């Protein structure tokens, strides 16, 4: 699992807004069975999401879902996505993105079975994204 | 043949027996209802959720959940709320539970958390569903976390809600069956 990102921040009202672009290379496997694909007889779909996790002065823990995708049974569980932009606005609750060196991006997924338990799995491998100390005033996005 | 006096005695016996049997059947019925209620209360205690089993009412979480699916919830106090989890919550002042996904959390050091939800199948987040002026949900709004699910089974409750005549008919049939069945 590998991600590359560039980032900028922009002030909006009084909260930081982050912009992130990323690549995702992933192979989603069933952890229990090693190399077997995640789509076994009881998996209806996977809800994938990329979330950013970080700490700020205001809040000890922040998690923001930047992007999500639904993989239905039959879709390819290998992903090669390049230059993706976040689907959702990455607002902080305050100004904690500016100069924050420790924002971690992780890919996780919710397994939705045909019937049964709903597990949440976090992928191995995550990327740290340092945000710059200054704001960009205008950015075409 | 039997005298009219003997026939009256026999008939009296029969009426008495039927009354006793009726009381027995009613007690049987009451026992079944009490057991069901006890099981439900037990589930509430075990899961920590006021409503451990909910029926999905809308299509806002498709294609994962459809109207009529059944969800099993837990609401353990120490379970942290994290992005990506599917929560069932109630907006203050409204009775209808909503099943959506947590997309944003901001948690303070003391454990106070505020979070935002969105249905997978919705374009926008749930801010429009919250109370006027409310921008975030808190732990107290959560009915439970979705831990398991069964498709279609909840359709019966939806049909009973939408067609009350069906509900009464079903109750009447069930009541008649329990009261009238004879234990051999």
């Amino acid at each position: 699992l590998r991600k590359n990102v560039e980032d900028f921040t922009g002030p909006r009202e009084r909260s930081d807004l982050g912009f992130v672009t990323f690549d995702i290379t992933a192979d989603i496997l069933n952890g229990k069975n090693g190399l077997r694909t995640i789509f076994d007889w009881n998996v209806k779909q996977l809800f994938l999401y990329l979330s950013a996790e970080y700490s700020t002065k205001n809040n000890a823990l922040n998690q923001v879902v930047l992007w999500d995708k639904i993989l239905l049974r039959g879709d390819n569980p290998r992903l090669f996505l390049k230059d993706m932009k976040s689907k959702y606005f990455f607002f902080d609750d305050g100004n904690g993105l500016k100069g924050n060196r420790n924002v971690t991006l992780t890919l996780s997924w919710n397994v939705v079975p045909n019937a049964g338990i709903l597990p949440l799995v976090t992928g191995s491998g995550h990327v740290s994204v340092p945000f710059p100390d200054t704001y960009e005033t205008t950015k075409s996005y | 043949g039997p005298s009219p006096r003997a026939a009256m005695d026999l008939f009296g016996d029969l009426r008495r027996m039927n009354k006793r049997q009726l009381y027995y059947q009613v007690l049987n019925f009451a026992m079944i209802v009490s057991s069901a209620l006890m099981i439900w209360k037990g589930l509430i205690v075990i899961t920590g959720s006021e409503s451990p089993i909910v029926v999905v009412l809308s299509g806002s979480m498709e294609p994962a959940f459809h109207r009529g699916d059944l969800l099993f919830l837990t609401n353990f106090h120490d379970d942290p709320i994290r992005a990506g989890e599917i929560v069932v919550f109630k907006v203050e002042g409204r009775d209808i539970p909503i099943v959506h996904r947590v997309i944003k959390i901001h948690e303070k050091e003391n454990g106070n958390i505020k979070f935002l939800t969105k249905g997978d199948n919705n374009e926008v987040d749930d801010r429009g569903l919250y109370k006027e002026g409310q921008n975030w949900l808190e732990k107290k709004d959560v009915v439970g976390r979705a831990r398991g699910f069964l498709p279609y089974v909840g359709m019966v409750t939806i049909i009973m809600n939408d067609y009350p005549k069906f509900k009464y008919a079903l109750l009447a049939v069930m009541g008649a069956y329990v009261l009238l069945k004879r234990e051999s």
Side-chain angles (χ1 to χ4, degrees), chain A residues 44 60-63 91 116 118, chain B residues 64 83 104 106-107 147 149:
Chain A
K44 183 165 80 171
L61 176 67
N62 304 275
Q63 287 182 336
F91 273 114
L118 293 156
Chain B
K104 236 179 170 233
H106 296 291
E107 184 176 65
R147 294 293 181 212
F149 120 102

Side-chain angles (χ1 to χ4, degrees), chain B residues 8-122:
Chain B
M8 288 276 289
D9 284 345
L10 194 62
F11 188 47
D13 269 351
L14 263 165
R15 271 198 2 236
R16 270 193 297 275
M17 240 170 56
N18 274 341
K19 234 201 277 185
R20 205 177 289 134
Q21 222 161 6
L22 183 67
Y23 291 152
Y24 185 75
Q25 298 292 64
V26 169
L27 277 176
N28 251 348
F29 181 67
M31 203 179 74
I32 293 174
V33 172
S34 312
S35 306
L37 280 173
M38 275 174 57
I39 292 176
W40 181 246
K41 292 292 182 193
L43 268 180
I44 291 180
V45 168
I46 294 175
T47 62
S49 168
E50 66 178 51
S51 184
I53 305 182
V54 294
V55 178
V56 176
L57 296 172
S58 78
S60 54
M61 281 296 279
E62 287 182 18
F65 308 136
H66 297 85
R67 210 168 117 83
D69 290 345
L70 212 64
L71 287 177
F72 298 90
L73 315 180
T74 62
N75 197 24
F76 303 129
H77 185 257
D78 295 331
D79 251 343
I81 298 179
R82 294 291 175 253
E85 291 195 338
I86 301 173
V87 295
V88 178
F89 62 92
K90 277 197 191 156
V91 177
E92 232 174 290
R94 306 228 204 101
D95 243 342
I96 307 189
I98 302 178
V99 186
H100 282 172
R101 197 181 296 275
V102 175
I103 57 168
K104 236 179 170 233
I105 66 160
H106 296 291
E107 184 176 65
K108 303 239 180 245
E109 218 170 275
N110 60 10
N112 266 352
I113 188 168
K114 61 187 188 190
F115 59 98
L116 181 62
T117 56
K118 174 182 164 297
D120 289 350
N121 206 18
N122 290 347

Side-chain angles (χ1 to χ4, degrees), chain A residues 52-94:
Chain A
E53 184 171 316
Y54 58 98
S55 277
T56 62
K57 221 165 38 147
N58 264 354
N59 294 295
L61 176 67
N62 304 275
Q63 287 182 336
V64 181
V65 171
L66 298 182
W67 171 90
D68 55 46
K69 182 176 172 61
I70 293 178
L71 273 187
L72 295 172
R73 187 152 171 191
D75 289 347
N76 195 345
R78 316 188 84 136
L79 301 170
F80 292 104
L81 303 166
K82 297 227 163 265
D83 284 335
M84 307 287 296
K85 300 218 167 61
S86 65
K87 244 191 193 182
Y88 306 112
F89 284 121
F90 187 177
F91 273 114
D92 180 37
D93 178 39

